[in-house]
Amino acid sequence: MGEKLTPQAVDSTQSVDPSPAQLETLRHVADHIPTAAWLVVLFSSMERFTYFAFSGPLQNYIQNPLDDVSRPGALGLGQSKATALICFLNVLSYTTVIPAAIVADGYLGPFVTICIFSCFYLSGLLLLFLTSLPISLQHNAGVGGLIAAFILIGIGVGGIKSSVSPFLADQLKRTQTRIKYLPNGESVVIDREMTISKLYGIYYWGVNIGGLSGIASTELEKIHGFWAAFLLPLCSLAVSLVAFFMSRHRYVHHKPQAGILMRVIKILRLAIWPGKFSLSNATASHQQGQLGRTVDWDDGFVSEFRVALLACRVWIIYPIVWLCFSQNQTNLVSQAAAMQTYGIPNDMMSNLNPISVLLVLPLMQKFIYPVLKRCKVDPRPTVRMTLGFICIAASMALAAGVQQIVYDSGPCYDSPRHCMIDGKLEEGPNHVSVALQVPIYVVGAVGETFFSVAGSEWAYNSAPAGMKSLLQAIYMLTLAVSSLLGVAISPIFKDPWMTIVFAVFAGVMFMLSGIFAFCFWRVSSKTEGR
């Protein structure tokens, strides 16, 4: 329990730096979340509403032909090309985060960067909507319009993703760990890391509410067509961008640190040559004392940059993790198409992921994390990452099992939806219920709740001032690498190989989870006082 003070001594607005003894003995609590942060969460939720509303129907839109009798379709490019094109969109979305982060940190600031790149996003959605109209598809404008739209959308998504997460945390005006005296006389520790964890938990809960938009867009796809499904995200992003811009005076805006990228490049050059890959060679004291050179940074900047570089090590296996997780929007959609869906659009099944996250996340905060603490396991980011990776491995193992059940079921067995029976072409799904996919999405959502939230926290906590967007961009870059891997292996994403694909994903993830736990289980981010 916390310390008690006499009522006369209590000032609920007072706060002081905690001593080591107080950090050990007092109750730790999160600070309150300001209104500006809630507004950023709302914009993020609407942006994810937009993203999942247009991406939900994409696999069907690209894979299936316009005259498919059993599933909605438009372009008819097949499963492999559909998966490859969606991976291309992801590659573009998460490589543009780097130049966007440089713009945000060094020149325009995150708010202006988000607004500008949202306009690219909006233009891409408009093009996607126009080229998905029946008259456009009849004139073969679908494929060209899709690729051009993907380029614009990818640029827009990258600009937003590089900046919105650090911009959210920047809305916390007081982030230092401190002592606060409550009106009831108790003194508690306002814990910076707990506050950021709480904020990102709210943020992630909000974006998964937005992720439910796939339910609406896939239903629109089924009833009215793809043009209606793509009109929904176009309207939602337009409204949210106007609301975000109109709230600009409420936000905390940090001044960009111009030239930070050039300093980083110079430090890396000096560290590599002639420093033989040692950052000590790039310190101001070494350059001045040993070489008589003057540089435009101090030793503290090099020290913080070293911390940031070391922090990036935990993301080494994230490309593989994201590759497995991305199956929700690609090959698991195709798997559902080969199963009995009882009138439910096959691409609606992916919405089980955000629904599960919404249910799981509060349980994590209220029950799972406290239980871990009682078991003497600190739920720091690296611990949650490890648990998340194990869950993703388990979800891929379940996917492999379900895929084998599909292949073992008639009428088409390992050629679902396309086989000859008694001289007649059979285009219906195999006789197996799509309900078997539910555990895949639930277990995957538990894993996502662990590793994805922890990844964003780690990026913000590990970044020095002026590099918040850049480090978040490096974290997002793991998604681009994942998508490149997806494009490289996309030719194997077809029947009858999918059981082997999912099983290999599961085996690799279990192995990497063990390696990650061995290397990073006890590592914590150094966040105090930053």
Side-chain angles (χ1 to χ4, degrees), residues 387-398:
L387 297 175
F389 299 158
I390 293 171
C391 290
I392 295 299
S395 73
M396 288 295 96
L398 289 169

Side-chain angles (χ1 to χ4, degrees), residues 17 43 82 114 124 150 204 219 239 274 278-279 371-372 439 444 453 467 521:
D17 293 334
F43 173 78
I114 291 170
F150 274 9
Y204 212 71
E219 193 65 22
V239 171
S278 173
L279 283 175
V371 167
L372 288 174
V453 178
M467 295 181 63
W521 180 267

Side-chain angles (χ1 to χ4, degrees), residues 168-382:
L168 171 66
D170 284 345
Q171 304 313 306
L172 297 176
K173 297 179 182 179
R174 302 187 64 181
T175 56
Q176 283 75 22
T177 295
R178 64 191 190 278
I179 298 292
K180 186 174 183 179
Y181 304 119
L182 303 181
N184 66 358
E186 181 186 5
S187 55
V188 295
V189 175
I190 303 295
D191 191 293
R192 176 188 191 275
E193 193 160 350
M194 285 184 66
T195 303
I196 293 176
S197 180
K198 175 184 176 182
L199 179 60
Y200 278 121
I202 293 170
Y203 163 74
Y204 212 71
W205 199 77
V207 299
N208 277 277
I209 289 179
L212 295 176
S213 62
I215 297 175
S217 65
T218 51
E219 193 65 22
L220 286 170
E221 163 202 339
K222 176 183 176 181
I223 298 173
H224 298 291
F226 289 100
W227 67 268
F230 296 143
L231 178 60
L232 176 65
L234 174 64
C235 295
S236 69
L237 183 62
V239 171
S240 59
L241 178 57
V242 170
F244 182 71
F245 181 78
M246 295 299 290
S247 303
R248 61 190 180 279
H249 299 301
R250 291 179 173 267
Y251 300 126
V252 175
H253 299 272
H254 291 296
K255 185 178 180 181
Q257 296 189 20
I260 191 169
L261 177 64
M262 292 307 300
R263 291 200 296 273
V264 167
I265 292 174
K266 290 176 183 177
I267 288 171
L268 287 174
R269 182 182 63 80
L270 292 172
I272 295 171
W273 180 264
K276 298 180 179 179
F277 295 93
S278 173
L279 283 175
S280 298
N281 185 73
T283 60
S285 56
H286 178 84
Q287 290 292 312
Q288 179 67 40
Q290 301 295 323
L291 304 174
R293 297 174 180 169
T294 301
V295 294
D296 58 347
W297 60 83
D298 56 22
D299 289 356
F301 183 84
V302 176
S303 178
E304 288 196 320
F305 181 58
R306 178 184 284 110
V307 171
L309 284 179
L310 292 175
C312 294
R313 295 177 301 168
V314 304
W315 297 327
I316 290 175
I317 72 167
Y318 263 70
I320 305 298
V321 181
W322 289 123
L323 178 62
C324 294
F325 182 73
S326 68
Q327 303 308 303
N328 291 347
Q329 298 294 325
T330 54
N331 289 311
L332 286 178
V333 174
S334 299
Q335 184 186 78
M339 306 170 76
Q340 297 283 348
T341 61
Y342 311 105
I344 301 172
N346 65 300
D347 45 6
M348 189 179 286
M349 292 301 295
S350 62
N351 290 285
L352 285 172
N353 175 259
I355 291 172
S356 300
V357 169
L358 291 175
L359 296 175
V360 167
L361 195 57
L363 295 177
M364 293 287 186
Q365 299 289 342
K366 295 291 185 180
F367 300 106
I368 304 301
Y369 296 157
V371 167
L372 288 174
K373 289 181 179 179
R374 284 196 293 271
C375 295
K376 307 299 182 183
V377 177
D378 180 11
R380 56 186 171 270
T382 51

